[in-house]
Amino acid sequence: MLNERIKQLRTDRGYSQVDLAKKLNVSKQSVSNWENDNIQPSIEMLLKISRLFSVTTDYLLGEDSRQFLEVSGLNPKHMAHIQQIIDDLKGKSKKAPLR
């Protein structure tokens, strides 16, 4: 599960294995080994991966299917706009006025 989640998150963001390796300061071979389920990342690396992709370690390990967006630093109006987009994409549009 972990190997699949890492690969999916990487490809969803358009990163190559080399790109991800640079972002995590590891070798491309490490990323390849994780994705091919040859080795597991260390706990410290698991935390770095979760922070980079804004997901929980439970998500990476297959214990939770929820994903989150990092919105720290955005004002409430911008967060409301993002929530509206998410609701629209999920088909839950509530047409509530934005403040």
Side-chain angles (χ1 to χ4, degrees):
M1 177 64 67
L2 175 59
N3 63 318
E4 295 165 0
R5 292 276 167 103
I6 292 172
K7 184 174 184 176
Q8 187 65 52
L9 289 165
R10 176 182 64 76
T11 58
D12 285 351
R13 284 158 180 78
Y15 297 160
S16 68
Q17 287 184 342
V18 171
D19 296 332
L20 181 57
K22 285 180 183 177
K23 290 179 182 301
L24 296 172
N25 199 29
V26 297
S27 69
K28 184 246 183 220
Q29 188 64 35
S30 291
V31 174
S32 177
N33 278 325
W34 300 335
E35 291 184 0
N36 289 315
D37 210 17
N38 295 329
I39 61 169
Q40 301 296 310
S42 67
I43 293 171
E44 293 81 13
M45 189 55 60
L46 189 67
L47 290 169
K48 284 179 79 170
I49 294 166
S50 73
R51 289 183 194 120
L52 175 67
F53 290 122
S54 297
V55 297
T56 65
T57 53
D58 280 350
Y59 175 81
L60 289 173
L61 296 170
E63 295 297 315
D64 188 352
S65 62
R66 297 176 294 167
Q67 294 188 47
F68 301 91
L69 295 174
E70 176 60 52
V71 296
S72 299
L74 296 180
N75 67 45
K77 184 176 181 179
H78 290 147
M79 287 190 286
H81 283 289
I82 290 170
Q83 186 62 56
Q84 183 69 44
I85 292 167
I86 292 168
D87 290 345
D88 288 346
L89 290 171
K90 289 182 173 182
K92 297 189 219 175
S93 183
K94 294 185 176 91
K95 302 298 178 196
L98 297 175
R99 298 178 201 185

